[in-house]
Amino acid sequence: MAGKKMTVIDFQKYKDEGKKFSFVTAYDYTTASIINDSDVEVILVGDSLGMIMLGYDSTVPVTLDDVIHHAKPVVKGAPDKFIIGDMPFGSYNVSIEEAIRNANRMVKETGCDCIKLEGGVEMADTIRALVKAGINVMGHIGMTPQTATSFGGFKVQGGTPESARKLIEDAKALQDAGVFSIVVECVPSVVAKAMQEEVRVPILGIGAGPDVDCQVLVTQDLLGMYGDFKPKFVKQFAHIREEMVRGLNQFHEETISGEFPTPEFSFNKAVDIPKVYGG
Ligand code: KIV
């Protein structure tokens, strides 16, 4: 079921009206078209594609060309959804000029509605310049996968009074720089709640508890498709991997037994094939 496509303005409207919404990832046309048939409002072409689609151990090796390549079919497959292009590591940390050049590429070449980048107060000047250049920017703080090695891996952030306060100040700095919303990943629920109350722009939580404006999950996690690991915050709303393995096994079984294909799945037109003699 597809409703009217959300706009940047709607993000704030939803928060102001206390109306929650949901956002998931997609990296290909078929998945995007399935999400387009659902009630989920927002799609992220995340750099998580490095792990989910390409089998990397982290998001760090993902390139801008990778994300652009995956974002184009998603934009095509989900015309009724708000689509975010994720800026990968190395595409916005060299200089402000390069960040603008790369963000321009993301928006122009894919047709996505905004870009997302990771980082707190240290990214404020870059975000300000991007917004001034006419690009819609979504922030991402808390557990930021691109720089996870600097805090010892994929760990919950904001677990001390000082680090919790720092996260909220980061959110305020992003808001002042002009982001229209902020993804907050892997933080204690009380920290996300305090942030949601102190910051005007919508807070989009992934592993951030219930008191945020929107819930975010990776599609392959929530549908039970990705098999390498399952973070604590992931609820599996379906078990598609098991169903896919079941279907594949049935295809294999019916192939070796000769049960497949029946005439229903064959082209049954009679053709009088001339014989070739002496060939
Ligand atoms: O790349 C991604 O999937 C993300 C989400 C975890 C928010 O950034």
Side-chain angles (χ1 to χ4, degrees):
M1 203 218 71
K4 195 169 157 284
K5 177 171 166 162
M6 233 175 139
T7 66
V8 165
I9 306 297
D10 292 325
F11 276 67
Q12 193 63 53
K13 195 161 167 263
Y14 275 43
K15 172 161 185 163
D16 295 345
E17 290 173 358
K19 186 173 161 189
K20 293 204 179 197
F21 56 102
S22 61
F23 118 37
V24 299
T25 57
Y27 321 104
D28 67 275
Y29 176 81
T30 302
T31 309
S33 72
I34 292 169
I35 299 167
N36 200 59
D37 287 348
S38 79
D39 295 328
V40 169
E41 290 95 342
V42 178
I43 298 179
L44 166 69
V45 186
D47 61 358
S48 51
L49 70 86
M51 298 161 94
I52 308 285
M53 290 286 117
L54 306 177
Y56 300 155
D57 292 335
S58 81
T59 59
V60 174
V62 174
T63 65
L64 182 63
D65 285 338
D66 287 335
V67 182
I68 289 175
H69 175 74
H70 284 267
K72 285 179 185 174
V74 171
V75 170
K76 192 150 187 238
D80 304 325
K81 303 301 173 187
F82 185 94
I83 297 174
I84 307 150
D86 210 2
M87 297 296 284
F89 185 67
S91 67
Y92 56 95
N93 61 359
V94 175
S95 67
I96 289 181
E97 287 70 27
E98 195 167 318
I100 295 176
R101 195 176 307 117
N102 286 335
N104 279 341
R105 273 197 68 198
M106 181 76 86
V107 173
K108 282 166 73 87
E109 293 179 33
T110 69
C112 66
D113 299 292
C114 79
I115 59 121
K116 174 172 86 59
L117 53 79
E118 297 181 7
V121 65
E122 73 284 0
M123 290 313 303
D125 287 344
T126 304
I127 291 170
R128 203 168 281 114
L130 285 163
V131 173
K132 203 165 161 213
I135 295 162
N136 300 317
V137 182
M138 176 180 283
H140 184 162
I141 56 174
M143 207 291 288
T144 43
Q146 292 173 11
T147 47
T149 50
S150 66
F151 41 78
F154 292 4
K155 290 185 177 152
V156 176
Q157 300 297 300
T160 62
E162 299 73 32
S163 61
R165 178 41 54 195
K166 157 92 174 71
L167 272 181
I168 295 171
E169 295 311 316
D170 276 340
K172 287 183 178 168
L174 296 191
Q175 172 175 281
D176 292 346
V179 299
F180 70 95
S181 58
I182 304 172
V183 169
V184 180
E185 182 165 357
C186 269
V187 303
S189 305
V190 288
V191 177
K193 181 171 192 287
M195 190 184 291
Q196 204 268 355
E197 286 162 2
E198 286 193 41
V199 172
R200 186 179 16 87
V201 297
I203 301 299
L204 322 167
I206 172 163
D211 299 308
V212 289
D213 303 293
C214 167
Q215 292 294 331
V216 184
L217 281 177
V218 167
T219 296
Q220 284 76 0
D221 284 341
L222 81 92
L223 295 181
M225 293 169 79
Y226 185 64
D228 288 6
F229 66 92
K230 187 180 91 59
K232 173 175 162 43
F233 58 78
V234 169
K235 175 173 175 182
Q236 290 183 337
F237 292 85
H239 301 281
I240 303 300
R241 190 186 183 90
E242 280 165 31
E243 182 55 15
M244 287 173 92
V245 173
R246 192 206 56 73
L248 289 164
N249 282 342
Q250 189 166 344
F251 166 61
H252 174 74
E253 209 176 289
E254 293 188 19
T255 295
I256 58 177
S257 71
E259 206 178 325
F260 175 82
T262 53
E264 188 193 347
F265 301 105
S266 307
F267 301 100
N268 304 310
K269 185 175 188 295
V271 183
D272 192 10
I273 305 169
K275 292 259 185 301
V276 178
Y277 297 101

